[in-house]
Amino acid sequence: MSKNYEAIKAHYAGSDNKDLAAMMAPITDRTAWTEMAGFPYAGTYVGTVAIIEGVFKRIGDEWEGYTFTLERLVDGGSTILGIGTYTGTYKRTGKPMKARVVHVWDVEDGKVLRFEQFTDTKLVAQATG
């Protein structure tokens, strides 16, 4: 498998182990991370600090048992696709969520240039509202 594929595979392994440092290893201060419109953290965050504060810290603060379960990882060379399912319970409402998701990673030499998330935001909104 490619260096790019291995970098994203390691990111997901870090996620499974709740290891933020491993998750952030392929992320740089120039990485543009886009959460889908309609998602609670919608927008584009640039750089490690913005991504941690705008996405991962908020998920940890607002969700119980939030998990991404990777089902397929597709090696497209400089574009890697992660396909799976989000699950978790929104703390303020106590409502569970389960939504399919695709992550699109543009990677160069094992470092993420861009990330974009595509998910069923209606299912997420039902848990948060």
Side-chain angles (χ1 to χ4, degrees):
M1 293 294 156
S2 73
K3 183 176 187 176
N4 295 335
Y5 177 93
E6 291 301 327
I8 302 309
K9 183 178 176 184
H11 165 87
Y12 287 126
S15 177
D16 290 345
N17 294 320
K18 310 285 189 246
D19 181 347
L20 186 60
M23 290 174 62
M24 298 306 290
I27 308 300
T28 74
D29 287 336
R30 292 176 290 158
T31 299
W33 184 285
T34 301
E35 297 283 307
M36 189 168 177
F39 197 70
Y41 317 115
T44 298
Y45 306 88
V46 178
T48 55
V49 173
I51 295 165
I52 290 169
E53 292 296 318
V55 181
F56 295 117
K57 185 176 183 318
R58 292 170 68 190
I59 288 171
D61 290 346
E62 298 174 12
W63 293 86
E64 188 69 44
Y66 190 95
T67 305
F68 170 72
T69 302
L70 179 66
E71 295 166 21
R72 289 183 60 200
L73 191 59
V74 180
D75 188 348
S78 62
T79 301
I80 308 298
L81 301 178
I83 304 165
T85 304
Y86 288 144
T87 55
T89 300
Y90 196 65
K91 290 178 182 178
R92 277 190 268 165
T93 64
K95 294 179 183 177
M97 174 271 304
K98 182 175 182 179
R100 297 289 290 156
V101 61
V102 174
H103 295 157
V104 179
W105 303 85
D106 291 322
V107 190
E108 183 177 281
D109 198 29
K111 296 297 180 184
V112 176
L113 303 173
R114 283 173 301 281
F115 165 91
E116 190 169 0
Q117 167 213 58
F118 296 90
T119 191
D120 187 336
T121 57
K122 181 178 179 184
L123 294 175
V124 179
Q126 289 173 342
T128 61

